[in-house]
Amino acid sequence: MKPRLAAIAGKLKDSVFSIDEEPVLIGRETGATVCVADASVSRRHSLIEKEEEQFVIADLESLNGTFVNDVPVKRRALQHGDRVRIGNSQFLFLMHDDDVSSKSTEVNFDDRQMIGGSTVQVRFNDALYVMARDLSALMKVSTTINAIRGLEELQKTLLELLFEVVPAQRGAILLSDRGSEENEEPFATVFGLNRLPGPDETVKVSRTVAKQVLRDGSSLLISGPAGARDVSSESLSETRISSLLCVPLIMMDHPLGVVYLDTNEPRVHFDKDHLQLVTAIASITAVAVENARHFEWLESENQRLLADVNLEHNMVGESPPMRQVYQFISKVALTDSTVLISGESGTGKELAARALHQNSKRANKPFMAVNCGALTESLLESELFGHEKGAFTGAVAQKKGRLEIADGGTVFLDEIGELSAALQVKLLRVLQEREFERVGGTRTIKIDIRLLTATNRDLEELISRGAFRQDLFYRLNVVQLEMPPLRQRQEDIPLLASYFASKYSEKCNRKVLRISSEAQGRLVSYDWPGNVRELENAIERAVVLGTTESVLLEDLPEAVLEREISAATPATKYHEAVAQTKKQIILNAMDQAKGSYTEAAKLLGVHPNYLHRLIRNLNLKEQLKR
């Protein structure tokens, strides 16, 4: 099956576009391979092209971005079943048809050639008059078949209806695989039914006949004294088949498969009327068969996509460091191992923890997140372990703790390095025994949880100072995941910026279509000490304060604008002039203050901390040393 794009939403819904060796342009212009007449789509929006053995989609600097599985992408290799969103349109990228499983009587192929007996061939046009002659039978078949949705049930019902009009003992429906080569097995699925169950219910099908009918598109009847000879001169009489007919299932000149019927009753012979009637029935049921097959394929795709949704995370990024994070999550999520997530503040440690939970067998159980640095020791103890009524002043009722509520699920403890010594002891017991008591209680409570923790501090350094228990560290550090800072994955910054711009554009009810090249260049050149959280705040500010449909350079925070521009980064003359003026003012003040930061800050009328930041952002330290 050739790769293709199936439109599932938007103005092209239900359309299918083949993808060949040539690049496929998607956009609003009339010359595009996939032309989408929608204002939300750029004239030249995206391009799909083949690279070696895979297809890659690239965003062509579009206004609204290109999304794969709801994640903005600049360039990405497509996998079978990926969901591509372009403006208001959505497409499924399909590489192959999924096989449809069937439960039926066993079907075996006989490779001997049919050569004896009375042979009749009938094409569809020759059977048209049967539709008028046997209208009532055909109406019954059509009404019954079109009311069935499942492929297996439809095939079984169709064979049972055929047994009512043809004295066959066995039948089979063989559906083809359009993507198979000429020398390959042409039948992807088979369904057989034996009318007279016995010790051997196997339905034997002549592969030669089935392939001939599928290839020629004409019905075939072999009846009366018959024989079969292969290279060993074996006779068909060994199979004791007295009559056989095989008709094609054809829809819009495309063969879908064949219907195969036979009998070994010596006194029963199929005739030309039987062949014409079965040919007519096959012609009116081919659409129902294809629809049922397609419906089951859509159901399997839907289940697969739902599974993808369950596996999806809320992290954005395609850089090598983030791919390593995704690989780690896919490997570790299905286990119950305790994970310690480290990394700077704002790198997305809680998002990683949620992804580990979503991809685990505990995904349908609670996920409880607690920030250990945001609460006092007493409040945190009550929050984690709960308390009994009267345990302390204000404890007017019994309260279950987060650990108890999360039974069967996952508990995420952020800033674990802030945990007090007393709570470290209690947490160690939970990890060792999976039990605890509420504050003020005596009853031991058993729990089944997975523990995930995170810190932006060096726990080993805390251990050396006696501020963190070494035995607890070993319990927590079974598997460690380090989240990369944003400065180590700069290629993800444009994707993150587009994602946040879209998010806050909708949230603030303000139309923002793009980020200007000057603003994007400055975003990439900034080192983001606050990581993704700082970037998100910067874009939210730009969306709220901006006045155009683009995020402009002047919409960005001062800290980002003060960053010295690299030679490769485009910028406007105005901002270059502002930066140069700031540099000169600071250098003059430091010269007057004879290198004293405090005195220079007084001269400039700013706080010394702000002066330090300006000097760092404008890269003036080297000049001040001279």
Side-chain angles (χ1 to χ4, degrees):
M1 179 65 68
K2 285 186 177 180
R4 58 209 183 282
L5 279 179
I8 58 175
K11 294 193 173 183
L12 299 177
K13 185 178 179 181
D14 297 330
S15 301
V16 178
F17 303 90
S18 295
I19 300 176
D20 297 315
E21 300 291 327
E22 296 298 320
V24 174
L25 175 64
I26 306 172
R28 202 173 70 249
E29 69 177 30
T30 54
T33 314
V34 179
C35 180
V36 186
D38 188 336
S40 65
V41 177
S42 300
R43 294 181 63 82
R44 295 174 60 84
H45 199 108
S46 305
L47 186 72
I48 298 177
E49 55 187 346
K50 189 171 184 181
E51 288 187 357
E52 297 180 351
E53 297 303 318
Q54 62 183 5
F55 287 88
V56 174
I57 187 168
D59 183 78
L60 302 178
E61 301 297 332
S62 64
L63 297 181
N64 292 332
T66 300
F67 295 77
V68 176
N69 300 328
D70 294 325
V71 175
V73 299
K74 284 296 181 184
R75 187 175 185 84
R76 173 168 169 172
L78 292 172
Q79 303 295 327
H80 174 69
D82 277 347
R83 190 171 65 259
V84 179
R85 175 158 59 88
I86 294 173
N88 295 323
S89 298
Q90 290 197 51
F91 304 85
L92 278 179
F93 176 75
L94 305 173
M95 288 287 290
H96 54 78
D97 284 330
D98 289 346
D99 288 342
V100 181
S101 62
S102 64
K103 296 179 181 178
S104 68
T105 301
E106 183 182 352
V107 176
N108 286 342
F109 285 99
D110 187 342
D111 291 321
R112 289 174 290 185
Q113 294 182 341
M114 309 297 297
I115 62 167
S118 171
T119 302
V120 178
Q121 283 188 287
V122 175
R123 291 194 174 274
F124 169 66
N125 291 337
D126 299 328
L128 286 176
Y129 83 96
V130 180
M131 294 185 181
R133 189 191 67 191
D134 294 309
L135 185 59
S136 60
L138 296 176
M139 286 293 292
K140 178 182 178 181
V141 171
S142 178
T143 304
T144 304
I145 292 298
N146 287 323
I148 300 173
R149 179 172 290 179
L151 179 61
E152 184 177 328
E153 182 185 356
L154 187 147
Q155 292 178 110
K156 181 176 181 292
T157 303
L158 176 55
L159 288 174
E160 289 173 343
L161 290 171
L162 289 172
F163 288 159
E164 291 181 10
V165 296
V166 178
Q169 290 180 322
R170 291 165 298 275
I173 296 176
L174 318 174
L175 299 181
S176 65
D177 180 2
R178 295 182 188 176
S180 63
E181 299 293 335
E182 187 174 348
N183 60 343
E184 294 179 353
E185 171 59 53
F187 301 112
T189 65
V190 295
F191 185 96
L193 195 62
N194 196 322
R195 190 178 188 182
L196 302 174
D200 183 11
E201 296 184 3
T202 303
V203 176
K204 294 183 179 179
V205 172
S206 169
R207 192 191 305 271
T208 304
V209 170
K211 290 179 71 173
Q212 177 185 328
V213 170
L214 182 68
R215 182 184 65 249
D216 298 342
S218 60
S219 303
L220 183 65
L221 165 65
I222 301 176
S223 185
R229 295 183 186 272
D230 59 10
V231 292
S232 302
S233 299
E234 294 179 349
S235 173
L236 183 62
S237 62
E238 295 175 8
T239 63
R240 293 178 294 179
I241 293 175
S242 60
S243 282
L244 177 157
L245 66 80
C246 187
V247 303
L249 288 163
I250 298 177
M251 188 184 77
M252 300 177 65
D253 297 328
H254 292 294
L256 308 178
V258 300
V259 176
Y260 187 99
L261 301 171
D262 71 24
T263 181
N264 58 9
E265 179 62 45
R267 292 172 294 181
V268 175
H269 300 290
F270 302 155
D271 56 28
K272 191 173 181 179
D273 287 346
H274 291 137
L275 184 62
Q276 290 174 331
L277 180 58
V278 175
T279 303
I281 291 174
S283 69
I284 65 174
T285 57
V287 174
V289 170
E290 178 67 0
N291 286 343
R293 193 181 189 187
H294 187 62
F295 181 80
E296 289 201 350
W297 175 82
L298 288 175
E299 277 193 329
S300 67
E301 278 297 297
N302 186 47
Q303 291 172 2
R304 194 195 65 77
L305 291 173
L306 286 174
D308 285 349
V309 169
N310 291 333
L311 291 171
E312 282 180 0
H313 49 77
N314 293 324
M315 293 176 282
V316 176
E318 298 178 2
S319 61
M322 288 307 295
R323 290 198 189 101
Q324 292 178 5
V325 171
Y326 302 149
Q327 290 173 3
F328 176 93
I329 291 173
S330 66
K331 290 178 181 178
V332 177
L334 293 176
T335 72
D336 271 337
S337 299
T338 303
V339 182
L340 176 61
I341 307 172
S342 60
E344 298 176 8
S345 178
T347 51
K349 295 186 289 294
E350 183 171 344
L351 291 179
R354 289 185 180 275
L356 284 166
H357 172 71
Q358 287 174 342
N359 298 340
S360 74
K361 59 188 177 183
R362 299 174 182 267
N364 60 344
K365 298 293 184 178
F367 175 86
M368 290 290 167
V370 181
N371 190 324
C372 300
L375 300 171
T376 63
E377 180 181 348
S378 58
L379 286 176
L380 180 58
E381 183 179 21
S382 175
E383 189 70 19
L384 288 175
F385 302 102
H387 61 254
E388 298 290 351
K389 181 179 179 180
F392 50 83
T393 303
V396 296
Q398 183 193 77
K399 175 188 174 183
K400 290 184 177 181
R402 295 292 184 95
L403 296 176
E404 189 175 351
I405 295 172
D407 188 30
T410 305
V411 175
F412 171 61
L413 301 182
D414 199 3
E415 297 188 34
I416 192 69
E418 306 298 329
L419 214 58
S420 68
L423 289 182
Q424 288 180 37
V425 174
K426 294 193 72 170
L427 182 60
L428 181 60
R429 183 191 172 199
V430 171
L431 287 170
Q432 290 175 335
E433 308 296 337
R434 289 299 195 265
E435 64 182 30
F436 65 93
E437 290 86 32
R438 297 193 189 106
V439 177
T442 57
R443 184 172 66 89
T444 299
I445 299 170
K446 294 281 187 179
I447 56 169
D448 171 26
I449 61 167
R450 183 186 191 179
L451 188 66
L452 307 175
T453 59
T455 182
N456 58 5
R457 302 183 65 180
D458 186 345
L459 294 184
E460 292 182 342
E461 191 270 333
L462 292 178
I463 291 171
S464 66
R465 292 196 287 109
F468 201 84
R469 293 181 64 97
Q470 189 174 44
D471 51 358
L472 177 59
F473 172 73
Y474 291 141
R475 286 283 183 177
L476 297 177
N477 194 31
V478 176
V479 184
Q480 185 173 13
L481 167 63
E482 184 171 0
M483 296 298 294
L486 191 54
R487 62 181 174 275
Q488 291 181 5
R489 53 187 189 105
Q490 288 185 323
E491 56 264 53
D492 290 335
I493 291 175
L495 296 178
L496 285 162
S498 297
Y499 174 77
F500 291 134
S502 176
K503 173 183 175 180
Y504 288 105
S505 172
E506 183 177 348
K507 188 175 181 180
C508 300
N509 197 27
R510 198 175 86 73
K511 190 176 182 181
V512 177
L513 299 179
R514 67 181 71 84
I515 298 175
S516 69
S517 58
E518 294 85 1
Q520 196 168 103
R522 191 61 65 90
L523 291 174
V524 172
S525 67
Y526 185 57
D527 58 5
W528 299 106
N531 294 294
V532 179
R533 187 180 292 122
E534 184 184 4
L535 174 61
E536 181 176 5
N537 293 339
I539 297 299
E540 181 181 8
R541 175 189 186 276
V543 171
V544 172
L545 298 181
T547 57
T548 68
E549 292 185 348
S550 300
V551 173
L552 303 176
L553 196 59
E554 51 264 34
D555 297 330
L556 299 178
E558 282 295 314
V560 179
L561 294 178
E562 288 164 1
R563 180 69 177 173
E564 185 180 39
I565 309 165
S566 65
T569 305
T572 60
K573 293 180 180 179
Y574 167 75
H575 288 286
E576 286 178 344
V578 169
Q580 291 299 328
T581 303
K582 284 183 178 180
K583 285 183 181 181
Q584 195 57 51
I585 292 172
I586 292 170
L587 290 173
N588 291 339
M590 289 293 291
D591 185 53
Q592 292 180 40
K594 298 181 179 180
S596 170
Y597 281 83
T598 304
E599 292 300 320
K602 287 181 180 179
L603 290 173
L604 294 171
V606 298
H607 194 279
N609 290 344
Y610 182 62
L611 178 58
H612 276 281
R613 194 185 77 179
L614 283 172
I615 291 172
R616 184 179 66 251
N617 288 343
L618 294 171
N619 284 341
L620 292 176
K621 286 188 177 181
E622 292 298 324
Q623 290 180 255
L624 291 172
K625 289 179 182 178
R626 298 169 188 169

